[in-house]
Amino acid sequence: MCFDDWQCRRWNSGYFYNNPNSNTEQRADKTKREKADDVDVPDLQFLNLLKPVVHFSGLDLDQAMGNADREKNLTTLRNWANPDGSDRKLLYNGMSYENGSITVPAAGVYHITSHVKFYIEDNRKDDKPLQTFRHQVVRYSASSQTQVVLFENAVTECKEGINDGAHLEYPSDAGGLAQLDAGDNIIVKVSHLHPLKHDRDWHLVDMYLV
């Protein structure tokens, strides 16, 4: 809406479009947008490659059976090995491993997964008592020098309706999100070593900084 004829004539003549002073704010906004476009935004995929990561699959149970370290009826899994029989482990960006303990290099929230499978041969439906297989992911705090169970799972044998001599499998998963401090250790423990031996390549532990 024009307030007077003079303003209408200036508007219709293109004065407000052609006058450099009338476009100052528009040019300033354009300059800000151009500067924002020039800012380098970190690639999320690249940043993910820098996060601490560990992945172990398979257990050298022949060696583990001779090095069992039992504490309160639980054994620390210390001999992670690849399915090809090598002891090569995937450790990236500061993660370290020694004698069953995974050490994290930085504080933060970590996603942790551990999977094991207990395998029982030659079952009898009348066998008693039934065994319970326990599986834990434990944190050792570097600052307080104490252990706490982060995640735990328990699986009890079930022999109802089976045929005598059957082989039974009991998979177990333990894991989730955990807040860790730099220098903390993660340890996997189980209540029974021998039932893990049949499927040595089915066991794994995996963790990464979220």
Side-chain angles (χ1 to χ4, degrees):
M1 177 178 179
C2 298
F3 295 100
D4 50 41
D5 293 339
W6 175 80
Q7 186 182 34
C8 286
R9 286 195 299 273
R10 295 183 70 187
W11 184 273
N12 293 332
S13 66
Y15 171 84
F16 292 104
Y17 294 101
N18 300 322
N19 187 343
N21 295 329
S22 67
N23 293 324
T24 301
E25 186 174 343
Q26 295 179 4
R27 289 199 302 273
D29 289 341
K30 182 179 179 181
T31 301
K32 290 180 181 178
R33 291 195 299 270
E34 290 175 347
K35 289 183 178 180
D37 292 339
D38 292 337
V39 175
D40 292 331
V41 179
D43 187 346
L44 291 180
Q45 290 183 340
F46 174 74
L47 291 179
N48 285 334
L49 293 177
L50 300 179
K51 292 183 177 182
V53 175
V54 62
H55 178 82
F56 300 160
S57 61
L59 283 169
D60 183 357
L61 290 166
D62 291 332
Q63 185 176 356
M65 297 295 284
N67 295 332
D69 178 20
R70 303 192 68 83
E71 181 181 352
K72 296 182 179 178
N73 298 320
L74 292 175
T75 302
T76 299
L77 297 182
R78 300 185 181 279
N79 301 93
W80 293 97
N82 277 1
D84 62 4
S86 70
D87 62 356
R88 177 172 53 88
K89 302 171 181 66
L90 302 182
L91 293 157
Y92 296 112
N93 303 320
M95 286 285 205
S96 60
Y97 172 81
E98 184 177 2
N99 199 29
S101 296
I102 301 167
T103 304
V104 301
V109 177
Y110 286 77
H111 185 276
I112 307 171
T113 301
S114 176
H115 174 85
V116 297
K117 185 170 73 172
F118 301 96
Y119 184 92
I120 307 300
E121 298 180 304
D122 195 22
N123 290 270
R124 297 289 183 269
K125 57 188 174 185
D126 295 327
D127 285 347
K128 300 293 181 181
L130 298 178
Q131 299 182 92
T132 296
F133 307 108
R134 296 172 61 198
H135 172 205
Q136 293 182 346
V137 176
V138 177
R139 172 197 181 190
Y140 175 81
S141 171
S143 58
S144 65
Q145 297 184 353
T146 57
Q147 289 191 10
V148 60
V149 177
L150 294 177
F151 312 106
E152 183 173 16
N153 191 36
V155 184
T156 301
E157 289 181 300
C158 179
K159 299 184 179 181
E160 293 184 6
I162 69 167
N163 295 323
D164 285 344
H167 304 326
L168 300 178
E169 299 177 354
Y170 300 94
S172 174
D173 293 282
L177 297 175
Q179 176 71 48
L180 303 177
D181 297 325
D184 283 356
N185 294 336
I186 295 298
I187 305 163
V188 178
K189 296 184 177 185
V190 296
S191 58
H192 298 71
L193 268 183
H194 193 271
L196 302 180
K197 193 171 182 178
H198 184 273
D199 294 305
R200 51 152 290 174
D201 298 336
W202 284 75
H203 319 303
L204 67 85
V205 60
D206 181 274
M207 62 183 295
Y208 58 86
L209 180 65
V210 176

